[in-house]
Structures are given as C-alpha cells and as structure tokens.
Amino acid sequence: MAIARPVRALALAAALVWCFFIWQLLSPSGTAMTKDKYLSFERDPNLDPTGEPEGKLVRASEDYAPGATNSARINATLLALVRNEELEGMLQAMRDLERTWNHKFNYPWTFFNDVPFSEEFKKRTRAVTKAEIRYELIPKEHWEMPSWINQDLYDESVKILEEKKIQYADKISYHQMCRWNSGMFYKHPALANTQYYWRVEPNVHFFCDVDYDVFRYMHDNNKTYGFTINLYDAPASITTLWPETEKFLAEHPEYVHENSAMNWLTDKTRRPDHTKDANGYSTCHFWSNFEIGDMNFWRSKAYEDYFNHLDRAGGFFYERWGDAPVHSIALGLFEDSSKIHWFRDIGYQHIPFFNCPNSPKCKGCVTGRFTDGEAWLNREDCRPNWFKYVGMG
C-alpha cells in the first residue's frame, strides 16, 4: 500500500530530528554546546576599532634614550622569571616586545632565576636590547618549600591532583613558581626601589605597536593593574582557595573595597558548575603571564596579610593554587575595580589564547580571535563577566 506524501514527509522529519539528537549526545562537543552554547557566541569587542586608551599619554622622546641624563623613565622594569634552558623562547618574546614598544622607551629588563644565569644567556639577551639588563638570583628562602609544609601530605596531595588530571601537579618547581609569583617576587632586594613591572614570559607574542609609555599611563591615570586575557581556572586545582579566602575575610572585613569586583569573583550564572566545584569562587582570573602592575598593591598590609594567610594554609603545595587566581581574588576584593585596566590595544598571545584588537597598528594575529585551539576553548573566556560587572575601562 502506498504511504501518503504528508506521512512520508513527517516520518522523514522525525528521522532527521532523531539523528540530530543522537549526534548531540555522541559528539565530543555535543554536551558542552547544549549546556553552554551561549558562552561561545558573544561578539568580541576586539572586533570593534580599537585606539589608544583615554587619559594622559606620554610619547617617546630623546629623554627615553639609553643612558639619558634626564631620563623620562619612571621606576619600572620589564620582569621575567626564566631558566637558562628557556633562552630561545625568552629571546623571541624580547624581540617582539622590543620591536613593538621598548625600543622607543628603553625600560630595563630584570631576569630572575633560582640558579645563576649562564654566560650564554647573558650574552644573547644583551644583544636583543639597548636597555639595561639585570640578572638576579632568587634567595633560597623565597623559593624552597617552607618548613610548615608536610612532605608526606604533599606527596599524597600530588597523587590526588594527578588523579584529577591537574596539569603540572607533580612538578615541585611549578608549585614553587606559583608561590614566588604570588607573594615573593616583589620582596627581592633588586626590586626594592621599583614600583611598576611588566611581566613577560618565554614564547609569548606581541603584535601591536604601542606608542605611549605604558608605565607612565599606569602612574598618571591612577591604575593599579593591567591585563589582556581573563579566563576561568580549573576548579579541582583550587578547591579550598575560596573557603580560605572567606576565613580571611571573616577576620578582616575592613579590607574589602566598597567598589570591589566581588560579583565577578562569585558569579554563579555563567558557569555554575565552576562556582560550585570551587566552593563559591567563579574561578575567573586575570591570566598573569601578562600583567602590568603597581607593586605597592602587593606590598600593602591587606595583600601581605592575605598572602601570609594563604601561605600558612598550604594550598600552594597541597593543591595547585596559582598566582593568577591569588592575584585576581586579591585585586577583586581589596582594590577599587576602576583602577584595573584592560589593555585592549596591546596585541598578545600566550598559547592557546589571544588578545587581538582591530587596529592598523597590529599585524600577525586575527582580529577578534580568542583562541586558535579547539572550539571549546572559547568557553574559557571570562572577559564578558568582567565587562558585565566592571566595564571595559
């Protein structure tokens, strides 16, 4: 018996719907796309034309020449924690930043290492810049595992973190690095008279010409911290970080700024599973491989008290607390959020994420591209929450 045409059409439509449903269930990204699809399809503001930031800007002049008698440079440095074996990656990052910015302003470079720098490292880095370079050794008391950390507990904690597939969990040097970047670097004697720093890591890229003194911008416009990329962290790496923060805040409620970014830190709507698994923390953080900051904030009593509380809690070793969430939580709580600046005009990449503005001063990156990795990585972008709660200043 022939089947009526409308019935055949209905059956075909039902089959197509069923196939699409099965594909959604079985495809690697199906669940994520169904659950979090709104995370990946917002319009990136970097697609809009980008100019220089508003406010007072200081241009290059002969007073920025190397060794200038009346130097216009303020007490600031380009700063890198780097090993001798990372030389090639460091040279690449230096060349990018010298080409796009520092050849005009000649701010000094300060390199830190937990072992002495090799002569090859010194020779080849000196060849990349006309600016002064300082090579500094980290004091053992700033780098080594502190005495109150229990080695057996640390070993067991590493096993648990590895079971949760937390990257670098088994590398003691990574834990040490996170602790040093969180609360030790600004205590180094070589930085005693330095206020501002621009952190640079090996193998990063800079894409855009910047024609103003970035440090003077921070100083003259009353900015404390600058970032380019804003991400979610892995909740399993920082399970007790927010509970410890809440303990600290219960003892020191006076440290929370009236114009804090608390809502950014505790948002439950965008990625509720993250907030739940991190026990109340959204896990949003400034990706600190790029940060331009005023060390007076880290030297403040509020931050020192906070870091010491966290340090004694042991999470830098028993978990994998990173300097990015630690810095971000502190800034989000203790600083006026209007003093935190998105450097949207500085094109930047640290694999696999970009900040690529729409500007004729930029080349080598794709405008508005957040990642060149797997599509699901777009979900890691927390800038929309920052823009929602704080703005784009």
Side-chain angles (χ1 to χ4, degrees):
M1 179 186 296
I3 301 174
R5 183 174 299 172
V7 176
R8 293 201 304 270
L10 184 61
L12 178 60
L16 290 172
V17 169
W18 177 251
C19 290
F20 179 76
F21 175 72
I22 295 297
W23 176 81
Q24 284 284 78
L25 288 178
L26 298 181
S27 68
S29 60
T31 302
M33 290 294 288
T34 302
K35 183 177 182 181
D36 293 329
K37 61 182 180 180
Y38 66 94
L39 295 176
S40 304
F41 293 95
E42 288 156 320
R43 189 176 192 279
D44 194 316
N46 274 330
L47 292 170
D48 299 326
T50 295
E52 295 177 329
E54 296 180 358
K56 182 179 180 181
L57 300 177
V58 177
R59 308 292 178 182
S61 69
E62 60 184 16
D63 292 332
Y64 282 101
T69 304
N70 296 310
S71 175
R73 287 180 290 275
I74 61 175
N75 53 338
T77 189
L78 301 167
L79 184 153
L81 173 63
V82 58
R83 297 186 181 280
N84 288 310
E85 54 268 30
E86 295 175 305
L87 173 59
E88 296 301 332
M90 195 69 242
L91 291 173
Q92 180 267 304
M94 288 183 71
R95 291 188 187 106
D96 266 18
L97 192 51
E98 287 289 328
R99 171 179 51 80
T100 56
W101 184 72
N102 200 43
H103 78 279
K104 307 162 199 172
F105 299 98
N106 295 292
Y107 273 95
W109 289 84
T110 306
F111 293 116
F112 292 96
N113 197 344
D114 63 315
V115 300
F117 284 104
S118 67
E119 290 306 311
E120 180 188 10
F121 187 98
K122 294 177 182 178
K123 178 181 178 181
R124 295 185 64 190
T125 49
R126 285 174 180 143
V128 176
T129 180
K130 295 179 181 179
E132 175 189 0
I133 303 184
R134 307 157 186 162
Y135 304 92
E136 302 295 341
L137 186 64
I138 298 172
K140 288 185 177 181
E141 62 270 23
H142 286 184
W143 187 258
E144 293 179 347
M145 182 186 291
S147 60
W148 57 85
I149 299 299
N150 182 293
Q151 184 66 48
D152 293 335
L153 182 56
Y154 167 74
D155 293 338
E156 288 301 314
S157 299
V158 166
K159 293 177 184 177
I160 294 172
L161 291 170
E162 287 183 310
E163 290 173 0
K164 295 178 179 179
K165 302 187 184 304
I166 298 301
Q167 193 175 25
Y168 309 126
D170 63 334
K171 297 185 181 300
I172 184 64
S173 62
Y174 193 87
H175 294 267
Q176 292 169 313
M177 175 193 71
C178 290
R179 178 176 179 262
W180 186 82
N181 278 325
S182 294
M184 293 294 168
F185 80 94
Y186 54 88
K187 298 172 184 172
H188 195 287
L191 298 177
N193 297 315
T194 304
Q195 182 175 352
Y196 296 96
Y197 69 100
W198 183 338
R199 178 170 160 184
V200 184
E201 290 198 356
N203 295 308
V204 301
H205 291 275
F206 296 93
F207 301 106
C208 308
D209 290 327
V210 179
D211 297 320
Y212 59 94
D213 183 339
V214 169
F215 294 123
R216 284 291 300 272
Y217 171 80
M218 296 286 289
H219 178 271
D220 295 346
N221 295 280
N222 198 24
K223 301 294 183 181
T224 296
Y225 189 85
F227 72 96
T228 52
I229 296 171
N230 191 323
L231 299 174
Y232 289 91
D233 209 346
S237 69
I238 51 173
T239 307
T240 64
L241 177 56
W242 189 252
E244 285 297 336
T245 298
E246 289 181 314
K247 290 179 186 178
F248 177 78
L249 294 180
E251 298 174 0
H252 296 286
E254 72 277 10
Y255 287 155
V256 178
H257 198 282
E258 62 182 3
N259 190 35
S260 73
M262 178 71 82
N263 289 334
W264 172 68
L265 294 172
T266 58
D267 176 77
K268 298 177 182 179
T269 58
R270 191 172 177 84
R271 299 195 72 173
D273 289 349
H274 267 56
T275 309
K276 178 182 177 182
D277 293 344
N279 293 300
Y281 171 36
S282 68
T283 76
C284 287
H285 64 277
F286 309 117
W287 213 22
S288 57
N289 45 68
F290 174 109
E291 59 181 9
I292 300 173
D294 182 345
M295 283 185 277
N296 285 343
F297 178 82
W298 312 129
R299 293 165 177 152
S300 69
K301 190 174 188 310
Y303 185 77
E304 277 289 279
D305 287 349
Y306 178 59
F307 172 75
N308 288 334
H309 176 93
L310 297 181
D311 202 22
R312 285 287 175 174
F316 291 109
F317 294 93
Y318 301 144
E319 294 183 8
R320 199 208 64 186
W321 294 355
D323 52 278
V326 170
H327 279 185
S328 301
I329 290 174
L331 286 158
L333 291 173
F334 310 142
E335 185 53 286
D336 181 342
S337 60
S338 69
K339 294 184 178 182
I340 300 172
H341 178 68
W342 177 39
F343 277 104
R344 65 184 298 172
D345 58 316
I346 299 181
Y348 177 73
Q349 181 203 23
H350 183 296
I351 294 173
F353 299 110
F354 291 82
N355 183 70
C356 189
N358 180 0
S359 169
K361 294 185 176 184
C362 303
K363 59 183 179 181
C365 63
V366 178
T367 299
R369 172 187 280 177
F370 180 67
T371 180
D372 58 358
E374 296 291 333
W376 63 266
L377 287 170
N378 285 289
R379 292 179 298 152
E380 304 308 312
D381 185 4
C382 194
R383 289 176 307 160
N385 261 12
W386 181 259
F387 302 151
K388 173 184 177 181
Y389 292 119
V390 180
M392 296 186 189

